[in-house]
Amino acid sequence: MTDSPTARMIADAIEASGKSQREIASEMGYERPNVVSMMKNGDMRMPLERIPAFAAATGVDAELMLRTAMIEYMPATWEVVAASRRQTGPERAFPVQDAQINVRGPASDIERFKQLCQAERRTYFDMLVQLMDIRDATFDRIIDEG
């Protein structure tokens, strides 16, 4: 497995999308799926101009993908872009710092979560947010009724 955060994000997005690499490659405008495979394995960088098409094909957040790729591929350029965006006002700033977690648990539960994400056509992160929102609403309701 590669150390590339962008390649990991690509691999996770492909898996969560439920689509084949051939389908994703086609939606991105590539004739051959091996290009997507090379990006997923970290053998080839994701061309920045292809990120919107990849995001549309997989459901990954395009801005998060762009930010991840630029921080990895062009950190100095990203610092300039991020600084200029922060200077234009709070509506353009990046208020949330990205983080990554690795979850260990029973294989059956992890597989169940992956299948749920695939069935709902959601990324792991989107599904996690949805589940946390449901949990918070349930606890709020219990407290309000108590």
Side-chain angles (χ1 to χ4, degrees):
M1 186 62 161
T2 180
D3 290 336
S4 165
T6 307
R8 280 195 307 271
M9 180 180 263
I10 291 167
D12 288 346
I14 291 169
E15 185 175 339
S17 76
K19 295 181 179 179
S20 70
Q21 289 180 189
R22 182 174 302 283
E23 291 171 303
I24 293 168
S26 176
E27 291 179 38
M28 290 178 69
Y30 290 114
E31 292 181 20
R32 298 174 185 234
N34 66 321
V35 175
V36 174
S37 180
M38 290 189 303
M39 286 186 265
K40 179 179 89 170
N41 294 329
D43 298 329
M44 176 182 160
R45 289 182 170 186
M46 168 70 77
L48 299 180
E49 66 274 9
R50 299 286 181 132
I51 288 176
F54 180 80
T58 61
V60 73
D61 180 271
E63 187 169 327
L64 176 60
M65 182 78 166
L66 177 64
R67 189 176 332 151
T68 302
M70 286 195 67
I71 288 169
E72 179 180 355
Y73 304 158
M74 299 181 269
T77 302
W78 178 251
E79 283 302 316
V80 172
V81 170
S84 67
R85 288 187 69 168
R86 283 191 293 271
Q87 291 174 2
T88 61
E91 71 281 354
R92 297 288 309 237
F94 296 106
V96 177
Q97 183 176 359
D98 292 328
Q100 180 175 332
I101 61 170
N102 293 315
V103 178
R104 287 185 180 260
S108 59
D109 291 338
I110 300 294
E111 192 56 38
R112 185 174 154 220
F113 180 75
K114 288 180 178 181
Q115 289 172 354
L116 178 62
C117 293
Q118 190 172 19
E120 294 289 320
R121 300 185 73 76
R122 295 183 183 273
T123 64
Y124 296 155
F125 177 75
D126 289 340
M127 183 58 72
L128 181 60
V129 169
Q130 184 176 9
L131 293 172
M132 288 187 302
D133 289 345
I134 291 168
R135 177 210 170 266
D136 290 346
T138 301
F139 278 121
D140 289 345
R141 186 174 33 82
I142 290 170
I143 290 170
D144 290 343
E145 291 173 358

